[in-house]
């Protein structure tokens, strides 16, 4: 059994596997080279040969326990025929959402548009470099995708004022997102994804009273669906604060915590396997601090099923040498 499966399926505490969110990406010079030759990000995600190369780049350098496919949560709105562009220095910009067009979209056309993503999963699953490692597929959670599809850009500086105005649009869009996310999960799994991670990066934007409606309810459906395919599911509801409440409602196989969560409190309150937590900024300091902080997490979760990861994606300004040091520290623990 792979190290991560031992933690997820057997609650093994003797092994502390490691993978890192955004392990493939801008902090690696070999990624930046491919990226500079491919200015259209969506097109790059739809080139399964290049996406596979990017996915495997960190595995050539570091002894990680999983490959996460190089793709994006915004491939879903792209598959639903909403225009998605990535503007340098700004981030994603989405076109107007036309629900009438989306409502007539069928599964076959959606899958055809995203076919390269599923081919990519297959290439990664069958690579020599992922032997005894897991291939991780992923989706954005319905709430986080709703945010991008309605807000039409990153909500970094807040949601647009009229975001919740058209309740009918919100409800219908959520239902469509949920329907096609199941399709997207199914095809990733059929092509070799052995774990699904659900990224709810903007869960922290909501008031507590709105969590059941927009975060718990839609996530429960996806978690149950993924489990029905016999595939473990890890949820990352970033910024949520009430992780215990989330776990009791959504019931993922493992919970990924962000850098604001107190790991000791998590240990006290959470019974399922835990992943992540360490602040990605620690990788911008020095080796001594990095080792100390990584060990703090490993010590706290010594007797708990735990997968080492960060509390959000690795930052673009990270020195790959620090990443190497982190992976070795965890492996030698
Ligand atoms: O070169 C570039 O400018 C592209 C930067 C980039 C990369 C490397 C984007 C644009 N997406 C990705 C890949 C990506 N996105 C992965 C790859 C696999 C890996 O982890 O190695 C994954 C898992 C994602 C998921 C993703 N995309 C999330 C959820 C995780 C998170 O970071 O919170 C989100 C919110 C996105 C949207 C997105 N895509 C890209 C950017 C810059 C953003 C965030 C924009 C924002 O701030 O709102």
């Amino acid at each position: 059994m792979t190290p991560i499966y031992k933690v997820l399926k057997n609650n093994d505490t003797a092994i502390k596997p490691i993978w890192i969110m955004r392990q493939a990406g801008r902090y690696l010079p070999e990624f930046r080279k491919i990226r500079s030759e491919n200015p259209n990000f969506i097109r790059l995600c739809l080139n399964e040969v290049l996406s596979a190369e990017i996915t495997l780049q960190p595995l050539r350098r570091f002894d990680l326990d999983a490959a996460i496919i190089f793709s994006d949560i915004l491939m879903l709105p792209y598959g639903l025929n909403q225009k998605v562009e990535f503007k340098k220095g700004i981030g994603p910009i989405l076109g107007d959402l036309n629900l009438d067009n989306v409502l007539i979209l069928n599964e076959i056309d959606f899958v055809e548009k995203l076919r390269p993503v599923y081919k990519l999963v297959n290439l990664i699953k069958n690579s020599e470099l992922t032997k005894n490692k897991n291939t991780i597929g992923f989706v954005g959670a319905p709430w986080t995708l709703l945010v991008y599809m309605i807000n039409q850009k990153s909500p970094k500086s807040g949601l647009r004022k009229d975001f919740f105005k058209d309740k009918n649009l919100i409800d219908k869009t959520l239902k469509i997102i949920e329907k096609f996310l199941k399709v997207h999960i199914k095809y990733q799994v059929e092509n070799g994804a052995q774990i699904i991670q659900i990224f709810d990066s903007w869960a922290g934007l909501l008031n507590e009273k709105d969590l059941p409606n927009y975060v718990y309810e839609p996530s429960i459906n996806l978690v149950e669906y993924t489990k029905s395919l016999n595939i473990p599911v890890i949820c990352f509801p970033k910024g949520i604060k009430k992780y215990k409440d989330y776990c009791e409602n959504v019931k993922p196989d493992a919970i990924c915590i962000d850098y604001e969560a107190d790991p000791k409190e998590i240990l006290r309150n959470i019974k399922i396997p835990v992943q992540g937590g360490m602040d990605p900024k620690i990788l911008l300091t020095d080796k001594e601090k990095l080792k100390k902080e990584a060990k703090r997490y490993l010590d706290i979760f010594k007797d708990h099923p735990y997968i080492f990861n960060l509390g959000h994606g690795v930052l673009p300004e990270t020195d790959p040498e620090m990443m190497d040091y982190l992976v070795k520290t965890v492996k030698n623990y």
Side-chain angles (χ1 to χ4, degrees), residues 154-166:
S154 173
K156 262 186 278 200
S157 45
L159 288 173
R160 48 197 262 189
K161 282 193 190 65
D162 59 353
F163 186 89
F164 287 103
K165 203 180 80 188
D166 190 345

Side-chain angles (χ1 to χ4, degrees), residues 135-151:
T135 297
I136 304 180
F138 70 86
V139 294
W143 162 251
T144 286
L145 287 171
L146 182 79
V147 164
Y148 283 106
M149 289 171 74
I150 306 272
N151 205 55

